[in-house]
Amino acid sequence: MSSETEVVTYEVRGPVAVITMNRPDFRNAQNSKMTYALDAAFVRAVEDAEVKVIVLAGNGKHFSAGHDIGTPGRDHDVRYENKAALWWDHVDRAGGDQRFARETEVYLGMCRRWREIPKPTIAMVQGACIAGGLMLAWVCDLIVCSDDAFFSDPVVRMGIPGVEYFAHPWVMGPRAAKEFLFTGDRFGASQAKEWGMVNRVVPRDDLEGETIALAEKIATMPQFGLALTKKAVNQAEDLMGMRAGMDSVFGLHHFAHAHNAEVGADSLGGMNAKTMKGAATEQNGSK
Ligand code: ZN
């Protein structure tokens, strides 16, 4: 299947690099192959002096359904080149040692690296942006979404306090974050805009045009000025506690995984892609 041979595509349009997740048959579920391909694409865009702005997109009807917890291409037990060397590789480890190693590298660590890319990034979001998909949108500087976009973090259903990159209280405010997490509900684009979680909501047909136009506008600013400005806002966000908060919540997250493994079937509380989707359907009365 072609969508499995190239899980991420890379295209340069003038000053804009468009990095596209390409597993549309699986709603762009993020497996490790995709994670490392995204990392390589971001490095390429950073190193290309002609590229001023990076757009992160998802091919097909949906931006991303989250981390791959059940497609045929799930590859959590495959060893990839551990470029970031944030921790040792997880493959030959067991229990909490394995989970902590894997999630430090491919989830929290990679997301933090991508947030700190010295060029402006824009997430272009349509359809589903769920759990791990939120992490990919949140690490981008701006989020432009179409009116059919919807967002949710349903992992509390697994007994886990949110996804690994715990930005919720900072990207939508603490009260919205609690409703978002406590209910696991899907929230639409206009609600996300009201919370300040996204910059713009546009009609589905205009999503690409509006996003590229915004990227091109930003690209006219001086590159080093943009890099320093991005760093300035990120530093301010970290001074609002985001980085330290995430570190402390990462401990709770792993305590929840360990608790699940200790008392139940597995670290995900016995949930998989199908049961998670079924629960969401029941909750919302929609497909
Ligand atoms: Zn986890």
Side-chain angles (χ1 to χ4, degrees), residues 28-89:
N28 295 319
Q30 185 192 342
N31 56 8
S32 293
K33 189 177 181 186
M34 181 187 280
T35 305
Y36 284 90
L38 282 172
D39 193 53
F42 283 130
V43 170
R44 188 172 167 188
V46 170
E47 294 300 331
D48 184 344
E50 300 303 311
V51 168
K52 297 281 177 48
V53 180
I54 301 164
V55 170
L56 176 62
N59 186 19
K61 277 179 71 180
H62 302 284
F63 178 75
S64 172
H67 297 142
D68 188 343
I69 56 171
T71 81
R74 190 180 186 203
D75 55 356
H76 60 296
D77 51 358
V78 175
R79 187 189 298 275
Y80 288 86
E81 192 189 348
N82 186 352
K83 281 209 195 90
L86 298 166
W87 207 261
W88 48 67
D89 191 87

Side-chain angles (χ1 to χ4, degrees), residues 103 107 164 253-254 257:
E103 299 202 345
Y107 294 159
E164 291 82 5
H253 182 98
H254 276 271
H257 275 314

Side-chain angles (χ1 to χ4, degrees), residues 171-173 176-177 179-180 187 190-198:
V171 298
M172 65 179 80
E179 184 179 348
F180 194 71
F187 290 96
S190 60
Q191 180 66 74
K193 177 84 167 64
E194 203 175 298
W195 285 335
M197 200 190 90
V198 303

